[in-house]
Amino acid sequence: EVQLVESGGGLVQPGGSLRLSCSASGFIFSSDAMHWVRQAPGRGLEYVSGITKNGGSTYYADSVKGRFTISRDDSKNTLFLQMSSLRADDTAVYYCVRGGSGDYSNWGQGTLVTVSS
Amino acid sequence: DVVMTQSPLSLPVTLGQPASISCRSSQSLVPSDGNTYLHWFHQRPGQSPRRLIYKVSNRDSGVPDRFSGSGSGTDFTLKISRVEAEDVGVYYCMQATHWPRTFGQGTKLEIK
């Protein structure tokens, strides 16, 4: 069974940093692209970032470009999202999502990030 | 970035009646490999999104056959032939042809 478990969320002050992790199991992690998608309270889904299966390419939404960095450790089956210069509008549940273009079938339960003073 | 536009944003439906959601992309979603990476997701309150339809028209395992997807190029549709109570929630289309991926705004389906 595929499992994606996010962690690292919490309360952080504006301008601060946070690193999210996603622990994956039940599939060959190194064979899949991985992604982060977020959802602000009461709002829709927003694609944040993606990384190809070999980590060679990374992609970001304009709203986080230059502030967030996605990475992966295939030896530990873990996906990361380093977030810096956090703003109030980064407050959201962050989901880890598995897959290449034809996938996106597996989502984690999400981790809440709250940016507030 | 590719803009995905859904309509309507709110969809009140009587039980047993059909429902239809439109999703339009600002660019063609047909890449060089010939596939069209347009997916549909359903999200209930407090839950993670669940994929319903992948690559325009393929139903995921366990998805009732009252759900169907269609479309091509830049114009796509999700249809529910007869709405049931469990279908309430928000439906999103997402394109996975272009980077970065993008979602529609979401369509909230409720029972009248």
Side-chain angles (χ1 to χ4, degrees), chain A residues 24-85:
Chain A
S25 60
F27 65 101
I28 302 174
F29 182 74
S30 59
S31 296
D32 279 326
M34 296 295 296
H35 314 268
W36 290 98
V37 174
R38 69 183 180 183
Q39 187 169 36
R43 305 294 295 273
L45 301 174
E46 180 187 15
Y47 186 85
V48 174
S49 182
I51 186 167
T52 53
K53 59 183 178 181
N54 57 9
S57 295
T58 58
Y59 303 89
Y60 300 93
D62 286 344
S63 57
V64 307
K65 204 172 290 183
R67 301 187 299 121
F68 290 11
T69 302
I70 190 172
S71 62
R72 62 191 298 161
D73 184 341
D74 290 348
S75 69
K76 296 182 178 177
N77 291 348
T78 304
L79 177 72
F80 301 101
L81 186 67
Q82 179 68 47
M83 304 185 295
S84 60
S85 303

Side-chain angles (χ1 to χ4, degrees), chain A residues 1 3 6 12 14 18-20 22 30-31 33 40 43 46 51 57 74 81-83 86 92 94 104 108:
Chain A
E1 179 194 3
Q3 285 202 330
E6 302 94 338
V12 60
L18 209 57
R19 188 173 86 151
L20 305 184
C22 170
S30 59
S31 296
R43 305 294 295 273
E46 180 187 15
I51 186 167
S57 295
D74 290 348
L81 186 67
Q82 179 68 47
M83 304 185 295
L86 283 162
Y94 285 74
Y104 302 87

Side-chain angles (χ1 to χ4, degrees), chain A residues 39 47 59 101-104 108, chain B residues 39 41 43 48 51 96 99 101:
Chain A
Q39 187 169 36
Y47 186 85
Y59 303 89
S101 295
D103 204 330
Y104 302 87
Chain B
H39 311 312
F41 298 86
Q43 187 179 33
S48 300
R51 196 182 70 179
W99 293 99
R101 313 316 195 192

Side-chain angles (χ1 to χ4, degrees), chain B:
Chain B
D1 297 357
V2 176
V3 177
M4 305 298 289
T5 303
Q6 287 182 231
S7 63
L9 299 185
S10 178
L11 185 55
V13 184
T14 301
L15 286 174
Q17 292 301 300
S20 180
I21 301 171
S22 169
C23 175
R24 291 197 165 108
S25 59
S26 61
Q27 298 177 34
S28 173
L29 300 186
V30 184
S32 55
D33 68 2
N35 287 295
T36 302
Y37 297 109
L38 185 285
H39 311 312
W40 290 95
F41 298 86
H42 178 222
Q43 187 179 33
R44 296 189 177 99
Q47 296 186 10
S48 300
R50 171 199 178 197
R51 196 182 70 179
L52 290 178
I53 302 281
Y54 62 97
K55 291 193 288 184
V56 180
S57 59
N58 299 277
R59 269 192 310 275
D60 269 278
S61 175
V63 175
D65 61 7
R66 64 178 182 276
F67 288 90
S68 64
S70 63
S72 63
T74 61
D75 202 347
F76 305 93
T77 303
L78 176 69
K79 291 183 178 178
I80 309 173
S81 59
R82 297 171 306 279
V83 169
E84 297 190 7
E86 65 180 15
D87 300 336
V88 298
V90 183
Y91 292 82
Y92 298 93
C93 61
M94 187 199 85
Q95 67 81 19
T97 294
H98 303 282
W99 293 99
R101 313 316 195 192
T102 45
F103 289 90
Q105 314 98 300
T107 295
K108 186 173 184 179
L109 186 149
E110 61 179 22
I111 305 300
K112 276 186 192 174

